[in-house]
Amino acid sequence: MAENTEQNEAKHDSSSSPGMTDQEKEVAASAYEEFTAGKYDESLKHLEALQELNKEDYKIAMNKAVVEFYKSGQTTTGTLKQALMAMKNQVHTSAEDVDGLDDVENSLLYYNQAIIHYHMRQFSEAISIGEKLYQFLEPFEEKFAQAVCFLLVDLYLLTFQPEKALHLLAVLDKLSVQGNNKNGKGENNKDGVNQKAEFTAMIEAAKSKMHQYKVRAYIQMKSSKACKREIKSVMNTAGNSAPSLFLKSNFEYLRGNYRKAVKLLNSSNIAEHPGPIKTGECVRCMFWNNLGCIHFAMGKHNLGIFYFKKALQENDHTCAQLGDGSNGQSKKFTGIPMCALLANKRYELLYNCGIQLLHIGRPLAAFECLMEAVQVYHSNPRLWLRLAECCISANKGGSEQESKGLPCKKGIVQSVVGQGYHRKIVLASQSTQNTIYSEGQSAAIPVASMEFAAICLRNALLLLPEHQQLDTKTENGSKSSSQSGSTESGSENSDACSGKGQEADKFLSAAPSSPLRKQEVENLRCSILACSAYVALALGDNLMALNHAEKLLHQTKVSGSLKFLGHLYAAEALISLDRISDAIAHLNPENVSDVSMGVLTSEQDQGSDKGDEPVESSGKQTPMCYPSSVTSARAMMLFNLGSAYCLRSEYDKARKCLHQQRQAAGALQECRMRTTS
């Protein structure tokens, strides 16, 4: 994208404005020729001479600013942004004022601003300007109209709006057909032939890029059948280039063919791909990152973290070569070519590393990675949940008994009094391990404590929309591209950007991961409530734990596993509050009818085609401490129910519960022995 958009940013245009004298037209043409030839000093001299002839035209000053920007090697992005902002204030217009054809004269000014916002990762601002320009696409020349459409397509894909991107790509198809018809009826002189040849070459290059964009859009939509057709077109037009092989690898990853995805990545010749200074993308970094993602999906987490670390090393090496503009706000956009500003993927990689480390049982290392990532992606509720899970895992303990689901005596037995027959065990009213996290320091200090976990979970809940808001909320996310690809007029134009299909826009931003659809938001809410109840119990806040557990049980689409935990957490909180009768109602074994670990997802999220080949196993296993069946879950409920009866001195009922629990456990053990024999 960078290589194409920057060429359109360079000048206002090569044609003369109305009202210009012949002398001014000649000087302007000379300046444009020198600029396209790379002779920026000569171009500046012509522009200065032109400015002496016409001092009121701000477009000359804009062209001077662009030429000086190119003269600096495209490293003075901040200076150019300020210059364009001053020019916009000079003509007293803004993107909201583009309401007539008179303002189309300022289209290049708006476009240049959108390009700068794009490279500075200010995607919402860039989309706002681009959509205003898109409304007046018809008066633009073909090349500029195509540049506006491609910029918007790239922005829509970066913000996970594939439906809008596909609509724009259809408009680009129509523009290319209309352009071919116009050029086919052109003049037969030499200039006409040259223009036709140039336009034909531009259309062919655009078609190749359009196929790549369509693949990216279909991958985001998880539409395997449509993606498979476009993959063939990409391979026919781009061959075995790195972008095409990366896209095909992502397609196979989507279908679950992980070994084939790895094979395609290894067959890509990334050494021949241009560096980040030209393309704005570090292909080596993407290569290792994609390998890490594939091995994560295969359940090979140690290999996955190895590849993510390699990706981080490549990213740091690239940033060092570019001048390391990521450190220090004062020189953030200085000294680095504008097209390379998007090359730094450090925080996305740290996010991936943190998730991988959490899966391999290294919560403290995962916490450090995710804490660095949350400074950038602080509006991601799923990231706050992962931070809380790091805190929970770090404080849960790693003993062999606990990993197998056996009770741990640590923190439960306070002391032992007497000897022999008179020996008594004094139990603590609340586990002592819950009071040692943050003595003498604020709970808001980012350390892997249960107090900080409670803050993280509170943030996650606050970031989720309410149920009534979810139906109307259309929030756009911003995610850096993980691929190495280049990252009609009237009412139809406005439909593409205003969004007739608002159903597709109902998602919640969760950068740098995929945005959350409506059902995924509900699943996430249930997970956060379950963790909140657990953390509140650990901190001794029984009323808050009961509140979270009851909210969890009142969710409309809570999974069986979380419903089981909700009853357990509610019962524990009620027992601590001396409301044993209410706790017994929650411990009824009939409350457990499903303990599946899966979450409910919509048909759209699952995709319509899983591929012809068998899907490989993801390698994910159920934790040993969690009941593997409804029978074992009910046995656990009976055990806890018996404990509750003991607290009310109803020992006969407690003995009956324990007897039923032993029978259920014995039947389960017999079933296991028969299946393994």
Side-chain angles (χ1 to χ4, degrees), residues 37 42 44-45 175 295 568 629 662:
E42 298 297 326
L44 279 173
K45 290 179 182 179
L175 285 176
H295 284 85
L568 284 180
S629 65
R662 195 173 72 171

Short mmCIF file of all heavy atoms in Angstrom, two decimals, residues 37 42 44-45 175 295 568 629 662:
data_model
loop_
_atom_site.label_atom_id
_atom_site.label_comp_id
_atom_site.label_asym_id
_atom_site.label_seq_id
_atom_site.Cartn_x
_atom_site.Cartn_y
_atom_site.Cartn_z
N ALA A 37 11.26 12.83 -11.73
CA ALA A 37 12.61 12.34 -12.02
C ALA A 37 13.48 12.23 -10.77
O ALA A 37 14.62 11.78 -10.85
CB ALA A 37 13.28 13.25 -13.04
N GLU A 42 15.77 20.88 -8.02
CA GLU A 42 15.32 21.59 -9.22
C GLU A 42 13.82 21.83 -9.16
O GLU A 42 13.32 22.90 -9.55
CB GLU A 42 15.68 20.78 -10.47
CG GLU A 42 17.17 20.57 -10.68
CD GLU A 42 17.90 21.88 -10.91
OE1 GLU A 42 17.31 22.79 -11.53
OE2 GLU A 42 19.06 22.00 -10.45
N LEU A 44 12.01 22.24 -6.50
CA LEU A 44 11.76 23.32 -5.53
C LEU A 44 12.03 24.69 -6.15
O LEU A 44 11.29 25.66 -5.89
CB LEU A 44 12.64 23.12 -4.29
CG LEU A 44 12.14 22.11 -3.25
CD1 LEU A 44 13.19 21.89 -2.17
CD2 LEU A 44 10.84 22.61 -2.62
N LYS A 45 13.07 24.78 -6.98
CA LYS A 45 13.36 26.06 -7.64
C LYS A 45 12.21 26.48 -8.55
O LYS A 45 11.80 27.64 -8.57
CB LYS A 45 14.66 25.93 -8.44
CG LYS A 45 15.91 25.82 -7.58
CD LYS A 45 17.15 25.68 -8.44
CE LYS A 45 18.40 25.51 -7.57
NZ LYS A 45 19.62 25.35 -8.40
N LEU A 175 -14.74 0.64 -11.94
CA LEU A 175 -13.89 1.75 -12.40
C LEU A 175 -12.90 1.29 -13.45
O LEU A 175 -12.65 1.99 -14.43
CB LEU A 175 -13.14 2.35 -11.21
CG LEU A 175 -13.94 3.22 -10.24
CD1 LEU A 175 -13.06 3.66 -9.08
CD2 LEU A 175 -14.49 4.45 -10.95
N HIS A 295 1.90 -22.94 15.54
CA HIS A 295 2.25 -23.90 16.59
C HIS A 295 1.40 -23.71 17.85
O HIS A 295 1.15 -24.67 18.59
CB HIS A 295 3.74 -23.82 16.90
CG HIS A 295 4.60 -24.46 15.85
ND1 HIS A 295 5.00 -23.79 14.71
CD2 HIS A 295 5.11 -25.72 15.75
CE1 HIS A 295 5.73 -24.61 13.96
NE2 HIS A 295 5.81 -25.77 14.56
N LEU A 568 -20.95 -23.30 42.34
CA LEU A 568 -19.96 -23.57 43.38
C LEU A 568 -19.52 -22.29 44.08
O LEU A 568 -19.43 -22.23 45.31
CB LEU A 568 -18.74 -24.29 42.78
CG LEU A 568 -18.89 -25.77 42.46
CD1 LEU A 568 -17.59 -26.31 41.88
CD2 LEU A 568 -19.26 -26.57 43.71
N SER A 629 -16.67 -35.01 33.23
CA SER A 629 -17.99 -35.47 32.84
C SER A 629 -19.01 -34.94 33.83
O SER A 629 -18.67 -34.44 34.92
CB SER A 629 -18.05 -37.01 32.79
OG SER A 629 -17.86 -37.54 34.10
N ARG A 662 -19.60 -41.39 46.75
CA ARG A 662 -18.68 -42.51 46.59
C ARG A 662 -19.17 -43.47 45.52
O ARG A 662 -18.38 -44.02 44.75
CB ARG A 662 -18.52 -43.24 47.92
CG ARG A 662 -17.32 -44.17 47.94
CD ARG A 662 -17.07 -44.74 49.30
NE ARG A 662 -18.09 -45.73 49.68
CZ ARG A 662 -18.00 -46.52 50.76
NH1 ARG A 662 -16.97 -46.41 51.57
NH2 ARG A 662 -18.95 -47.39 51.03
#
